[in-house]
Amino acid sequence: MTDTQNASLSRAKANKEDEFYTQLEDVERELKHYRKHFKGKVVYLNCDDPRVSAFFHFFSYNFERLGLKRLIATCYQNQKRDLFSEHDSERAIFLEYEGDKDGDRIPGDHEIEANFLEGDGDFRSPEAIALLKQADIVVTNPPFSLFREYVSQLIKFKKKFLILASQNAITLKEIFPLLKDEKMWLGANSGDMSFKVPDHYQERATRFWVDDTGQKWRSFGNMCWFTNLDYKKRHEDLILYKTYNPDEYPAYDNFDAIEVGAVANIPKDYKGVMGVTPGFLAKHNPDQFEIVGITKTWFGAATKKYPQQEQVSTNGKVSLVGKLNDGAVIKMATPPPSNKTYYKVGGELFIQTYPRILIRSKKVEI
């Protein structure tokens, strides 16, 4: 992910810009991988704008084809049918749909039951939790700023789910252990996605535009689905062609693993632990690789701790820091190119990688 994408998502979180409306084509492209899971099930859209959202549209129009039992949707502080709620209502509504009644194969207004909630529809409210308990599968695009809390609730109530979020969430202390322990994984599609956003959202220098109708749009290049629904594509092996040699794959100084970086460079014959980018999880086959850790301090897998370091920045500025203890470190014989920050510790030179997921092949005998 680029610095620009990171900064954009950070601003969205800081400003609580949590309304990013998923496009129908993105919902359709992902949902086609999970059809077998929905027969006879109650689906709950608990961060939705009923009747006008792509999620409600998809499930109501495919209700019979999927064999659903019931569809429920709630919306936070909104009683309107407009796409973008201004969250100006103390009460919210929830909708229920139990399939086509008049035979026209279209979910008409008279077939969708609308009811008022007593509260604001927040997914954490007792009313929303009561609806959650009735559901088998939750599908939605939850608020970026509440993602950790949102996932925690799904796990607590042991729900199946398919939810959209940023890949930044992979390295979070509350999220990564669920991925490592196979309690959830990434869905079939990831990468660039575009979202409609409310009119009051500020313009951006990049990944922002206004279409011919005046609708504002934002896009992110690092979106992904998180799920605990299995799908066939997840069990396809990565095709590997490179072989290990120590000159190309340096060992970390503070983790018992080698640096691989790009997924395409994973050596097919290495028996030990390898560090790869978080994007690896979008291609992870649990039959091919084991996830063993992450190079974040909170995970506790580092084999050593560095004293205070001298950081030499790309502009030549030298400062005292403690950054080397939060990430994988590679020892250097000579200073790196001038466009790369490096560190000095007791006369030794080091560079630090971005966060790495630590994996081990299940198909190379140790």
Side-chain angles (χ1 to χ4, degrees):
M1 187 178 63
T2 67
D3 290 344
T4 300
Q5 289 162 1
N6 258 323
S8 184
L9 283 171
S10 297
R11 282 196 301 271
K13 181 178 178 181
N15 297 332
K16 296 291 177 24
E17 291 183 348
D18 279 338
E19 291 184 80
F20 293 88
Y21 286 84
T22 313
Q23 301 308 294
L24 182 59
E25 55 266 32
D26 290 325
V27 175
E28 292 174 331
R29 186 162 51 245
E30 186 66 21
L31 264 296
K32 70 180 182 182
H33 294 278
Y34 308 91
R35 182 174 177 176
K36 67 178 183 180
H37 295 287
F38 287 93
K39 186 175 182 179
K41 297 298 171 45
V42 176
V43 172
Y44 183 28
L45 318 175
N46 62 348
C47 295
D48 208 59
D49 274 279
R51 300 194 187 196
V52 290
S53 84
F55 291 102
F56 193 86
H57 180 100
F58 176 84
F59 283 109
S60 60
Y61 275 83
N62 289 281
F63 193 96
E64 283 75 24
R65 188 173 69 85
L66 293 171
L68 296 181
K69 181 179 180 181
R70 186 158 59 114
L71 175 62
I72 310 171
T74 54
C75 179
Y76 178 61
Q77 289 186 338
N78 189 23
Q79 300 176 16
K80 303 175 183 177
R81 294 182 56 165
D82 300 334
L83 178 59
F84 300 112
S85 164
E86 295 180 354
H87 303 318
D88 55 358
S89 172
E90 293 297 321
R91 297 178 66 186
I93 59 171
F94 75 97
L95 302 184
E96 292 183 276
Y97 180 63
E98 295 185 340
D100 183 42
K101 299 292 194 302
D102 58 13
D104 65 357
R105 313 294 288 179
I106 297 174
D109 286 354
H110 62 288
E111 296 167 314
I112 300 173
E113 183 178 347
N115 297 287
F116 283 103
L117 294 170
E118 290 299 320
D120 60 11
D122 188 310
F123 71 86
R124 299 161 292 188
S125 68
E127 289 177 301
I129 291 174
L131 292 171
L132 176 66
K133 290 178 178 177
Q134 299 174 36
D136 299 299
I137 304 174
V138 176
V139 184
T140 197
N141 176 2
F144 285 175
S145 65
L146 299 174
F147 187 71
R148 284 177 267 211
E149 193 172 353
Y150 186 84
V151 171
S152 175
Q153 184 185 80
L154 294 177
I155 297 298
K156 176 182 178 181
F157 289 99
K158 299 179 180 178
K159 295 301 173 183
K160 295 294 185 182
F161 57 86
L162 177 64
I163 55 177
L164 188 60
S166 163
Q167 288 185 22
N168 287 354
I170 289 173
T171 60
L172 295 175
K173 183 178 181 180
E174 298 83 357
I175 299 299
F176 177 76
L178 300 173
L179 297 164
K180 177 184 177 297
D181 295 340
E182 298 289 337
K183 292 181 179 178
M184 73 175 184
W185 41 87
L186 267 60
N189 295 286
S190 62
D192 212 303
M193 292 188 194
S194 301
F195 303 86
K196 291 181 179 179
V197 296
D199 191 54
H200 67 271
Y201 276 29
Q202 294 182 355
E203 296 185 4
R204 305 289 183 185
T206 60
R207 290 187 171 273
F208 172 89
W209 66 97
V210 182
D211 67 20
D212 292 341
T213 69
Q215 172 64 57
K216 289 183 176 179
W217 291 78
R218 296 271 304 275
S219 71
F220 299 99
N222 63 338
M223 299 303 298
C224 65
W225 297 85
F226 291 85
T227 186
N228 55 4
L229 300 171
D230 204 7
Y231 59 97
K232 184 178 179 181
K233 183 181 175 183
R234 179 172 174 251
H235 297 277
E236 295 176 355
D237 272 3
L238 271 171
I239 304 302
L240 308 175
Y241 65 94
K242 300 200 71 167
T243 56
Y244 169 73
N245 75 75
D247 293 332
E248 187 173 357
Y249 299 97
Y252 297 134
D253 187 61
N254 58 341
F255 288 89
D256 186 14
I258 62 169
E259 164 70 357
V260 172
V263 174
N265 293 333
I266 295 174
K268 62 184 179 183
D269 56 349
Y270 190 69
K271 301 177 181 179
V273 177
M274 301 172 277
V276 294
T277 61
F280 162 82
L281 295 182
K283 302 179 183 299
H284 174 47
N285 171 3
D287 308 316
Q288 186 179 18
F289 290 101
E290 172 190 10
I291 301 171
V292 299
I294 189 171
T295 60
K296 299 291 287 184
T297 303
W298 53 259
F299 190 76
T303 57
K304 66 189 298 185
K305 184 175 181 178
Y306 300 97
Q308 193 173 47
Q309 313 104 45
E310 287 185 10
Q311 174 181 286
V312 183
S313 302
T314 54
N315 61 5
K317 181 181 178 182
V318 178
S319 52
L320 295 177
V321 299
K323 295 179 179 178
L324 283 188
N325 292 312
D326 189 27
V329 171
I330 298 172
K331 190 173 182 179
M332 307 291 290
T334 59
S338 59
N339 63 348
K340 194 169 185 61
T341 296
Y342 66 99
Y343 303 85
K344 294 181 179 178
V345 181
E348 296 181 312
L349 307 179
F350 301 93
I351 59 172
Q352 187 178 48
T353 71
Y354 289 110
R356 296 292 190 242
I357 306 297
L358 301 174
I359 63 169
R360 181 189 289 117
S361 174
K362 291 182 175 179
K363 298 193 173 181
V364 177
E365 293 184 4
I366 298 176

